[in-house]
Amino acid sequence: MENNKSEEKPLLFTLRGFHLSEDYGFLLPNPLSELPALYGPWMEIANNLPHLIQSHQLRSQVYKMPQLSSQHLKGHRELRLAHLALSFITMGFVWQEGEEETVKLLPRNLAVPYWEISQMLGLPPILVHADFVLANWKKKNLNGPLEIENLDTIFSLPGGESLRGFILVTCLVEKAAAPGLKAVVQAGNAILQPDKEALHQALQEMAKAIKEMTDALKRMHDYVDPAIFYAVIRIFLSGWKDNPAMPGGLIYEGVSDEPMSYSGGSAAQSTVLHAFDELLTIHHSKESTAFLHRMRDYMPPHHRAFIEEIQSAPSLKQHILSSGNEKLRIAYNQCVSVLADLRTYHIAIVTKFIVIAAANAKAKKGKPSHWAGNFQINPPSSLQERGTGGSGILSFLKSVRDTTRAGIIQG
C-alpha cells in the first residue's frame, strides 16, 4: 500500500453512520404524509383527530377500526408515519374525556399493530418526541425553506394553532441544532487526530448552534398561547407511568394481559442535549441522571447509539485539561456557558407555560369555564407541577442547569 494509509488513525464517526444528516440533525428528513391505501382506516381517523376528540366520537371510531397487519409497511419512513399516526390516535383515545374517564385497555385492533410497529422501530408504544416533533412536519411549498411560515404538522390534536406552533417551534430548535451535531463529530475526530485548530473551530461552531437553538426557542412566545398549552394540549402528551390519573397503566389487548406503563412526551427525549452533555462531560445529579437515562429508552435506537458513541470516545474535557491550551479552554467554556443559557431560557418558558398558567387556571376555577376553539378547558390536576414525562419539572430543570454551569473549567 502506498504512503502507509493503513497507519492513519481511524476517524471516530460520521453523522451518516447514525442515519443523521448535516441539514436536519435528528429530524426525520422529509417525512412521508401518506401510507399505502390499505391503511386508509388509520389515516382517516388520524387526519381528523381534533374533531373526533371534541365531539367525543374517537373511541367509538377506534372500536370500529378493522384489524390491519403491519407487515405491508415498507421502509423506515412508512414505519415512522404509521407509528406517528397510531401514537396520535392512542393519545386521543386514552385522554378523550380528560383524566376523569380514562381507559384501562387499548383494543387489539389498535394495540397489536401499534406494538408490532414499535418493536420494528425500537420505540415504545406511546407518543414520543421522535413522533410528535421529529417525524411530524411537512413543507407547504416543497422548494421553499424550512421556516415556520412554510411548515405544517402532519397530524394534530386539540389545541389548534397553539399546538401547531408548539410542534413547529420545537422542530426549528432541532433544526438549529444540526450544525452543532456536525461540530460534535468534528470535535471527536479532532481529538483523535489530534488537531487543535480543527477542535477550536468545532467548539466555536457548537457554541454558535446552541445560541441559535435558544433564539429558535424564543419564538414559542409568538406561536403558543400558555392557557391553551396548559389546559388543552398537555394532557394529550401525558403518559401512563407515575400518573395518578392512570395508576394501573394500560393493557395493550392482544399483546399482554398485564398492564404496561410508559412515560409521556418530554423534551428530555430529544437526543440533542444528551449529545452535548456527553461531549462536554457534564455530570448531573444522581436523580436527574436517572431520569435522563430513562428517557433514552424513548429515542430511536440510532439516536441512542450516537450518544453512546460520544460517551465511549476519549474525553474532550480531559484532552483540554491535559493540553493546557488556553484558547481551547475558553472555547470549551463558551460551549458550557451557552448550554447553561439555553437551559435557563427553557426554565423561563416552562415557568410561563406551566407554573404561571397553572396559577391562572386555578384562579379561574369555579368561574364559568372558557373554551379553546370549542374545546372546554379543564386543566389536568395530576400535572400541576410536573412535566408530562413525569419529572418534578422546575426543580429538575434548575438542577440540570446548575450542574451544566458547574462544568466550566476554571483558569
Side-chain angles (χ1 to χ4, degrees), residues 259-274:
M260 295 193 261
S261 299
Y262 294 99
S263 297
S266 166
Q269 294 172 1
S270 165
T271 314
V272 173
L273 296 192
H274 292 253

Side-chain angles (χ1 to χ4, degrees), residues 19-73:
H19 309 288
L20 304 177
S21 92
E22 291 191 3
D23 296 329
Y24 295 101
F26 291 112
L27 290 171
L28 181 65
N30 306 312
L32 298 179
S33 51
E34 297 292 337
L35 283 178
L38 168 71
Y39 298 102
W42 295 353
M43 295 302 278
E44 211 172 303
I45 291 177
N47 283 321
N48 201 20
L49 286 170
H51 168 72
L52 290 173
I53 293 166
Q54 287 160 356
S55 57
H56 303 273
Q57 295 170 42
L58 175 60
R59 286 180 185 166
S60 60
Q61 289 295 315
V62 166
Y63 290 125
K64 289 182 208 155
M65 263 183 1
Q67 181 87 41
L68 299 174
S69 162
S70 59
Q71 70 187 36
H72 305 288
L73 294 163

